[in-house]
Amino acid sequence: MSAVRPVESFENTSRVATISTARTCTAAPAFGPQSSTSTLCAGTRLFSSSSAADESERRDKLMGYNLEDEQCNVTPTIAARVGTNLHLQPKHPLNTIKNIIEEYWKSYEANAPFEAHDDLSPVVPTNLNFDSLLIPPDHVSRSKSDTYYLRDEVVLRTHTSAHQTTLLRSGVDRFLVTGDVYRRDEIDSSHYPVFHQMEGVRMFTDEELREAGLSKTESSEAELVKFAEADLKAGLEGMARALFGNVEMRWVDEYFPFTDPSYELEILFEGEWMEVLGCGVVHRNIVQDVGRGRQPGWAFGLGLERLAMVLFDIPDIRLFWSQDERFHSQFESGKIVKFTPYSKYPPCFKDISFWCSGADIKPTDSSFHPNDLYEVVRDVGGDLVEKVELIDDFIHPKTGRISNCFRISYRSMDRSLTNEEIDALQEKVRELTVDKLGVELR
Ligand code: FA5
Ligand code: MG
């Protein structure tokens, strides 16, 4: 067993991102638990001692789903982020990038503007997040180790793609969806369990096809795909230039279950190729399933934090959640500026070593998953945790038990931490690691 995470992609070994229903956080849930009134938080989890008012607000945002439900793996720390909507906060770097991209697509074809959605609820049925996008039933992205489930059939969207089929079905031809997405993942400066994505979809109307000398009924599949692909690439290259200026770019073949063909766009940034987005021609089976016959179209999805970190020189993904004035005062609406770190406080490292299964459990029966440890650490340390990494692992030659040692780096972005404070956090981490993960400390 290894704590090394697969690369982020939709290929067999890896993970997927998301979609959701075309409903806002405030709309009445079209799906939801039958009785949502009698299930108050029992307070058995960390940090769940909030006031009744907070509790009721949170439950609204979660559409009445109950964190104490045994099918639920959403922690209070994660639940507290739902509804924050960093992408809607004026002057926030994520908002600025969103606006630049929306402007770009609105003027891409002035007579055919993109409809922009930015307040669709992140609470979506698995059907929309996975099935409707042709993500196979056994795909790893569906596992509870990778995805936040409120109930077995309801998740916090893992990508904005979760809204594709709902909007396509409603008949819209061009749309953008921006929103918060959720993935259980490793902890370091570029990974955070909540981040923001932007999705774009363009379907070609009969008239647009006619102008290009094509027809939905008479042109071959290959001709329609070629047409959509050329438009996709030209449009996205223009978008990358709107963000980065005149950069070198390249297209890399990718795999997504919901597009065919699929690509990633990379740009050369400070000497290194950087993945900017995933995209492709909307899969013909999806187009048919949403009742649009053979209408061709394309889709893309990008991560706003990754773009903002590069464009604004923001060194740590936790900073987007900072409430520090020294962070926010540096930004102006609509402007890309370089961030000046206001201080760098010293990190503090603490190691935790354990056998991945209890002494009486066969090593092969161990269900330890590093994402479970990351969750415990995040729940205890919050944004004081900068990074968690596996620094040693071995198999005991006699017992066959697996030992892991993880190093936790604690560092505040706003102040110095005291030894007592860190020791108390680490002690809590050790306690909960045993309680929740069933491992044996060494
Ligand atoms: C997707 O999420 C697809 N839904 C994108 C897509 C849409 C493809 C439409 C085709 C058509 P992926 O998992 O690669 O793909 O994520 C897309 C982007 O999200 C990445 O390029 C990256 O910028 C960002 N991203 C992924 N994981 C994280 C993370 N843990 N933290 C921050 N950003 C992330
Ligand atoms: Mg990717």
Side-chain angles (χ1 to χ4, degrees):
M1 173 183 315
S2 151
V4 176
R5 300 279 308 142
V7 285
E8 279 154 11
S9 85
F10 280 77
E11 282 166 84
N12 290 339
T13 51
S14 68
R15 52 192 304 104
V16 160
T18 341
I19 278 202
S20 114
T21 57
R23 223 160 342 99
T24 68
C25 293
T26 47
F31 65 100
Q34 265 69 4
S35 109
S36 59
T37 43
S38 58
T39 47
L40 277 174
C41 206
T44 51
R45 300 200 190 192
L46 282 173
F47 304 153
S48 53
S49 56
S50 46
S51 74
D54 292 349
E55 197 51 46
S56 119
E57 194 184 321
R58 169 199 289 172
R59 288 162 53 79
D60 279 356
K61 294 197 173 117
L62 294 178
M63 298 201 163
Y65 289 101
N66 177 9
L67 295 189
E68 297 304 313
D69 191 298
E70 64 176 37
Q71 294 173 5
C72 174
N73 66 351
V74 179
T75 63
T77 311
I78 293 301
R81 304 294 160 112
V82 176
T84 308
N85 292 331
L86 294 181
H87 60 286
L88 299 182
Q89 295 179 10
K91 299 203 269 188
H92 195 286
L94 299 181
N95 180 253
T96 295
I97 300 216
K98 165 186 181 278
N99 289 340
I100 293 172
I101 296 175
E102 282 181 354
E103 282 310 309
Y104 170 79
W105 288 108
K106 277 180 184 162
S107 60
Y108 184 62
E109 266 172 40
N111 56 346
F114 280 65
E115 186 176 293
H117 297 264
D118 56 21
D119 64 350
L120 304 179
S121 170
V123 177
V124 303
T126 46
N127 170 41
L128 294 180
N129 196 82
F130 300 121
D131 306 73
S132 72
L133 293 169
L134 315 177
I135 294 169
D138 58 352
H139 196 276
V140 54
S141 66
R142 293 183 186 244
S143 82
K144 282 197 172 167
S145 299
D146 281 37
T147 294
Y148 290 104
Y149 281 80
L150 287 158
R151 292 291 298 260
D152 284 349
E153 69 292 352
V154 182
V155 296
L156 293 178
R157 66 186 162 208
T158 63
H159 50 174
T160 43
S161 304
H163 301 278
Q164 264 192 32
T165 54
T166 308
L167 289 166
L168 283 174
R169 217 180 272 280
S170 77
V172 196
D173 281 322
R174 293 168 201 79
F175 55 86
L176 298 167
V177 177
T178 310
D180 39 335
V181 305
Y182 298 77
R183 297 183 191 181
R184 301 186 77 210
D185 213 336
E186 59 198 291
I187 298 181
D188 66 23
S189 64
S190 66
H191 289 84
Y192 202 81
V194 190
F195 60 99
H196 296 75
Q197 281 192 340
M198 198 159 181
E199 189 92 1
V201 173
R202 176 185 193 175
M203 302 302 289
F204 294 95
T205 61
D206 290 348
E207 197 187 325
E208 286 167 335
L209 291 175
R210 207 163 32 242
E211 279 165 19
L214 295 167
S215 141
K216 209 161 63 179
T217 44
E218 279 146 47
S219 300
S220 71
E221 183 70 26
E223 284 174 310
L224 295 176
V225 165
K226 192 169 159 228
F227 173 67
E229 184 177 326
D231 188 77
L232 168 70
K233 288 182 168 172
L236 288 176
E237 285 170 14
M239 183 187 80
R241 276 191 296 273
L243 288 164
F244 291 94
N246 240 334
V247 283
E248 246 188 273
M249 307 176 210
R250 69 178 185 192
W251 291 98
V252 180
D253 289 339
E254 242 296 359
Y255 170 77
F256 298 103
F258 34 92
T259 47
D260 183 27
S262 306
Y263 302 97
E264 266 175 7
L265 176 62
E266 297 188 343
I267 65 161
L268 191 60
F269 187 80
E270 291 175 354
E272 298 209 34
W273 287 104
M274 183 186 75
E275 172 192 332
V276 177
L277 54 84
C279 66
V281 176
V282 181
H283 199 289
R284 67 192 71 78
N285 294 354
I286 293 181
V287 179
Q288 210 151 49
D289 289 350
V290 298
R292 286 178 168 234
R294 294 180 76 230
Q295 191 180 5
W298 53 246
F300 71 83
L302 55 82
L304 288 176
E305 276 83 352
R306 296 267 170 92
L307 292 177
M309 287 175 82
V310 167
L311 290 166
F312 290 80
D313 263 352
I314 293 175
D316 192 303
I317 197 164
R318 292 174 297 167
L319 280 162
F320 293 110
W321 296 90
S322 171
Q323 312 217 348
D324 197 310
E325 252 318 289
R326 290 172 294 178
F327 178 76
H328 293 283
S329 63
Q330 299 196 23
F331 306 110
E332 270 176 69
S333 185
K335 280 217 180 111
I336 293 178
V337 294
K338 293 298 176 193
F339 171 68
T340 313
Y342 35 86
S343 57
K344 189 96 174 161
Y345 297 92
C348 173
F349 305 105
K350 295 281 174 189
D351 294 349
I352 178 168
S353 302
F354 48 82
W355 298 109
C356 297
S357 57
D360 48 345
I361 301 175
K362 281 201 289 283
T364 45
D365 291 347
S366 159
S367 62
F368 171 74
H369 192 293
N371 281 355
D372 296 331
L373 175 71
Y374 302 150
E375 193 90 67
V376 164
V377 178
R378 187 69 86 187
D379 242 21
V380 173
D383 284 356
L384 297 181
V385 181
E386 178 170 75
K387 188 171 181 176
V388 182
E389 58 186 325
L390 180 70
I391 56 169
D392 188 37
D393 63 342
F394 68 90
I395 301 179
H396 191 282
K398 292 228 177 75
T399 62
R401 291 172 87 193
I402 297 160
S403 167
N404 277 357
C405 179
F406 285 87
R407 174 156 298 167
I408 305 172
S409 320
Y410 295 94
R411 191 208 299 259
S412 167
M413 290 169 298
D414 311 325
R415 64 193 174 83
S416 290
L417 301 172
T418 65
N419 283 331
E420 295 74 44
E421 187 176 13
I422 299 297
D423 287 346
L425 291 175
Q426 183 67 8
E427 195 43 46
K428 192 85 197 160
V429 166
R430 290 171 63 85
E431 238 170 68
L432 284 170
T433 300
V434 171
D435 276 10
K436 299 207 166 182
L437 276 50
V439 303
E440 187 186 338
L441 296 181
R442 301 185 52 223

